[in-house]
């Protein structure tokens, strides 16, 4: 959640991003049948448009993912890997661009025309250069097979569906959603497209001199990440906005990639390159960037804007440049952002009814105080395509015309869930200067096993960024799964620093 974006995005439509998706107004995109259907309905882009599409969308994508991450030597390193792979592809003459996104989410994707993106969250997870090459080769495969053009068509279709939702509900608030989702929502690839990108990626890996089995290794790493997130959140689906949200996993993808890797031997001149890779990511930012807020378990802290709050119990927090989200894996969601009053000094009840939710019928508003600040709340039952949605909206005066806004939605109504929502918004409070200054970012530090060192001694020096430090450490360092490796073996640790 960026400070620079605050005054540009305070529009009521933000409130409905998660509820509309959750209620099935958007068709699921995880099967080839649905993907093919939407491709046929909204196939609007021709091959000549690819570079134009990528160029037009690039700045929006970078902004939505927290900006470009810059670290001395790292960006050039990733560019070198990417160009090495692109050079052996069928589109070697494209003006390829490889961007590291400043996001802790484990993800990678591509736009038509040669725009490839990889998050620092994914770089944190990878164990060697060949795995990263496998990621980039896979995304290059999507570009050369023109899968991105079809996916862009689906995103356009989703925008049209958002407009339709506005017409059906009679709400211009929801109608504005249609103009946003085309950029915010990343439609998933079909199963066939994933297989094709895997096969192309394996071929590019081999031709570029990397071990072809790195593609299957990468898929296994992503599978481990999904299982880790499921264990941490209680959500069997794993992370909500990770790689497999837009690249659906299938049971045989790893086997297929491994089988393809065995079909041909290559002259390897780079191999796995673990040491070189670890040197490149040493001191890379890990997790959230304090400039956009920090997630510590269920707590969200923003040391720049100086506030903090807790997500509802059993919810997983997800930070983004647009807002802060939380999900419970059971269909309930929270959205938080900061709004700006058009009429400064008005009551929060008036703001909630006449500004924020002006397009809705809000008959009952409760005025209150939240940690000494004026606040107002309402609870509505809304019909969305035949499904009843229970919406709790809360506005809290944050001073200087700013309003902290919480929106909680669920398709079930019970007192326990409502109590979780109440505890969450009542936890909102300003942060003093000393507490803000004490919040330090976490960074990856490359260390080496010393003689006689135990896993517990290593973990004692690891930053407390997970409720299960051992599980996170082994996720980042799979070589420790069977015990501490021999002395001298390098590994990734996480430390708080400047």
């Amino acid at each position: 959640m960026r400070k620079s974006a605050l005054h540009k995005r305070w529009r009521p439509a933000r409130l409905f991003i998660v509820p509309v998706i959750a209620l099935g107004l958007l068709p699921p995109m995880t099967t080839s049948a649905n993907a093919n259907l939407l491709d046929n309905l909204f196939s609007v882009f021709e091959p000549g448009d690819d570079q134009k599409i990528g160029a037009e969308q690039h700045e929006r994508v970078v902004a939505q993912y927290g900006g470009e991450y810059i670290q001395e030597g790292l960006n050039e390193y990733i560019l070198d890997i990417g160009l090495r792979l692109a050079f052996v592809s069928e589109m070697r003459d494209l003006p390829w661009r490889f961007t590291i996104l400043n996001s802790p989410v484990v993800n990678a994707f591509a736009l038509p025309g040669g725009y490839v993106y990889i998050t620092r969250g994914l770089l944190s997870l990878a164990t060697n250069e060949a795995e990263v090459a496998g990621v980039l080769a896979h995304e290059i495969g999507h570009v050369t097979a023109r899968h991105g053009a079809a996916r862009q068509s689906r995103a356009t279709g989703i925008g049209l569906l958002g407009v339709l939702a506005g017409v059906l509900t009679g709400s211009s608030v929801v109608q504005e959603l249609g103009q946003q989702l085309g950029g915010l929502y990343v439609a998933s690839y079909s199963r066939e497209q994933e297989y094709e990108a895997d096969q192309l990626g394996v071929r590019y890996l081999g031709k570029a001199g990397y071990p072809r089995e790195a593609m299957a290794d990468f898929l296994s790493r992503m599978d481990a990440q999904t299982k880790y997130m499921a264990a941490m959140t209680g959500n069997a689906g794993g992370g909500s906005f990770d790689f497999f949200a837009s690249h659906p996993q299938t049971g045989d993808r790893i086997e297929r990639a491994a089988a393809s890797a065995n079909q041909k031997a290559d002259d390897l001149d780079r191999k796995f390159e673990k040491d070189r890779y670890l040197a490149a990511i040493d001191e890379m930012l890990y997790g959230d960037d304090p400039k956009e807020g920090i997630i510590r378990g269920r707590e969200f802290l923003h040391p720049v804007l100086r506030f903090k709050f807790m997500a509802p119990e059993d919810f997983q927090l997800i930070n983004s440049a647009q807002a802060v989200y939380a999900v419970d894996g059971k269909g309930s969601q929270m959205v938080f952002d900061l709004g700006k009053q058009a009429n400064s000094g008005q009551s929060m009840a008036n703001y909630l009814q006449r500004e924020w939710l002006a397009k809705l019928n809000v008959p009952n508003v409760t005025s209150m105080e939240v940690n000494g600040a004026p606040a107002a709340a309402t609870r509505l039952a809304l019909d969305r395509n035949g499904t009843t949605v229970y919406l709790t909206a809360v506005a809290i005066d944050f001073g200087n015309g700013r309003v902290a806004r919480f929106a909680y939605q669920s398709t079930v109504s019970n007192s326990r869930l409502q109590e979780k929502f109440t505890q969450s918004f009542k936890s909102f409070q300003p942060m003093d200067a000393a507490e803000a200054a004490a919040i330090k970012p976490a960074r990856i530090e490359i260390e080496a096993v010393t003689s006689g060192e135990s896993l517990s001694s290593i973990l004692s020096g690891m930053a407390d960024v997970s409720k299960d430090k051992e599980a996170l450490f082994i996720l980042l360092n799979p070589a420790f799964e069977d015990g501490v490796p021999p002395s001298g073996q390098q590994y990734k640790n996480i430390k708080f620093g400047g």
Side-chain angles (χ1 to χ4, degrees):
M1 184 173 178
R2 290 201 312 279
K3 180 180 180 181
S4 60
L6 289 177
H7 299 297
K8 296 180 181 179
R9 59 181 174 78
W10 305 133
R11 294 182 294 184
R14 296 292 183 195
L15 172 63
F16 293 93
I17 290 177
V18 173
V20 171
I21 293 176
L23 293 178
L25 292 178
L26 309 183
M29 301 293 179
T30 57
T31 68
S32 59
N34 284 331
N36 291 337
L37 172 63
L38 284 171
D39 287 347
N40 291 332
L41 287 174
F42 302 111
S43 184
V44 295
F45 295 107
E46 298 297 330
D49 297 325
D50 284 7
Q51 291 185 35
K52 180 181 178 182
I53 293 168
E56 289 176 345
Q57 297 296 319
H58 173 72
E59 295 301 328
R60 293 179 63 194
V61 167
V62 171
Q64 289 168 8
Y65 275 82
E68 182 175 3
Y69 181 73
I70 305 294
Q71 179 174 312
E72 184 178 359
L74 181 60
N75 304 82
E76 292 80 6
Y77 176 68
I78 297 300
L79 177 63
D80 175 69
I81 299 171
L83 290 178
R84 185 181 181 94
L85 293 160
F87 185 77
V88 299
S89 77
E90 294 80 3
M91 295 185 177
R92 59 182 296 176
D93 294 328
L94 278 181
W96 291 90
R97 184 165 182 170
F98 298 86
T99 302
I100 303 174
L101 297 171
N102 186 26
S103 171
V105 174
V106 177
N107 209 346
F109 53 92
L111 291 177
Y115 290 79
V116 180
Y117 305 88
I118 188 168
T119 64
R120 56 176 173 78
L122 194 149
L123 296 179
S124 299
L125 182 67
T127 60
N128 56 56
E129 180 179 313
E131 286 181 1
V132 173
V135 176
L136 298 179
H138 178 94
E139 297 307 326
I140 290 170
H142 280 307
V143 173
T144 58
R146 298 200 69 244
H147 297 158
R151 190 165 71 157
Q152 181 72 21
S153 298
R154 291 201 294 281
T156 301
I158 289 163
L160 295 176
L161 290 168
V163 174
L164 177 61
V167 173
L168 292 175
T169 60
S171 170
S172 62
V173 170
V174 180
Q175 199 163 354
E176 290 179 32
L177 174 67
Q179 300 170 7
Q180 299 178 40
L181 282 179
L184 294 175
Y185 183 80
V186 180
S188 63
Y189 294 111
S190 70
R191 180 180 302 177
E192 288 74 17
Q193 288 172 332
E194 288 302 327
Y195 287 148
E196 185 176 9
D198 287 344
Q199 300 309 305
L200 288 170
V202 168
R203 188 171 75 197
Y204 300 154
L205 277 173
K207 293 176 68 175
Y210 288 104
R212 292 189 174 210
E213 58 265 35
M215 178 67 71
D217 292 346
F218 151 68
L219 292 172
S220 296
R221 300 296 303 129
M222 300 306 302
D223 192 47
Q225 159 74 10
T226 300
K227 292 176 181 176
Y228 168 79
M229 290 300 298
M232 293 301 103
T233 65
N235 178 4
S240 296
F241 299 132
D242 66 3
F243 184 84
F244 286 143
S246 55
H247 298 67
Q249 173 69 306
T250 58
D252 60 349
R253 277 186 66 194
I254 295 175
E255 288 81 359
R256 284 196 179 201
S260 178
N262 292 328
Q263 290 177 3
K264 179 181 177 182
D266 301 282
D267 294 328
L268 304 182
D269 61 356
R270 283 216 170 182
K271 301 184 180 180
F272 289 97
E273 306 297 349
K274 177 181 177 181
D275 290 345
R276 177 160 55 184
Y277 179 68
L278 293 181
I281 65 170
D282 191 21
E283 299 187 359
M284 184 177 69
L285 191 66
Y286 180 84
D288 298 298
D289 188 331
K291 293 182 296 185
E292 297 197 14
I294 293 287
I295 293 173
R296 295 281 188 261
R298 283 175 47 223
E299 188 173 27
F300 182 81
L301 307 97
H302 205 304
V304 177
L305 299 176
R306 302 265 293 275
F307 67 81
K308 59 183 179 179
F309 65 85
M310 299 288 289
E313 184 181 349
D314 301 322
F315 277 59
Q316 172 197 353
L317 278 167
I318 305 156
N319 194 13
S320 78
Q322 286 75 39
V324 182
Y325 305 90
V327 296
D328 69 350
K330 301 175 183 178
S332 298
Q333 296 103 2
M334 178 202 83
V335 183
F336 167 88
D337 68 8
L338 283 179
K340 188 73 174 177
Q341 298 183 59
N343 301 308
S344 183
Q346 66 185 312
S347 71
M348 286 296 94
N350 190 68
Y351 169 80
L352 191 152
Q353 287 181 299
R354 299 188 182 182
E355 287 194 35
W356 185 19
L357 304 183
K359 301 297 183 179
L360 299 177
N361 179 22
V362 184
N364 300 307
V365 176
T366 301
S367 296
M368 65 183 77
E369 286 192 353
V370 173
N371 291 312
T378 189
R379 190 163 185 258
L380 304 172
L382 305 175
D383 179 79
R384 288 293 181 265
N385 202 26
T387 300
T388 300
V389 180
Y390 299 95
L391 173 68
T392 299
V394 183
I396 305 172
D397 192 339
F398 192 45
N400 299 318
R402 298 174 299 174
V403 182
R405 309 193 305 196
F406 290 87
Y408 306 88
Q409 80 91 39
S410 180
T411 55
V412 298
S413 177
N414 61 64
S415 58
R416 177 59 183 139
L417 190 59
Q418 193 62 36
E419 181 182 349
K420 291 181 180 182
F421 295 163
T422 300
Q423 291 174 347
S424 171
F425 71 74
K426 284 192 173 181
S427 70
F428 180 85
Q429 59 186 300
M431 185 187 305
D432 62 38
E435 184 178 5
I439 296 175
K440 301 297 183 183
R443 296 188 182 276
I444 286 181
E445 288 193 10
I446 304 305
E447 301 178 341
V449 176
T450 60
S451 179
E453 193 169 28
S454 66
L455 180 58
S456 60
S457 65
I458 293 175
L459 293 177
S460 66
M462 180 179 174
D464 189 13
V465 295
S466 172
K467 64 181 181 181
D468 191 336
K469 290 169 62 173
E470 181 175 345
L472 175 60
F473 182 85
I474 292 177
L475 174 69
L476 298 179
N477 301 281
F480 283 74
E481 288 179 352
D482 298 322
V484 178
S487 177
Q489 172 115 10
Q490 290 189 317
Y491 61 88
K492 291 174 281 186
N493 210 338
I494 302 173
K495 302 290 182 69
F496 288 127

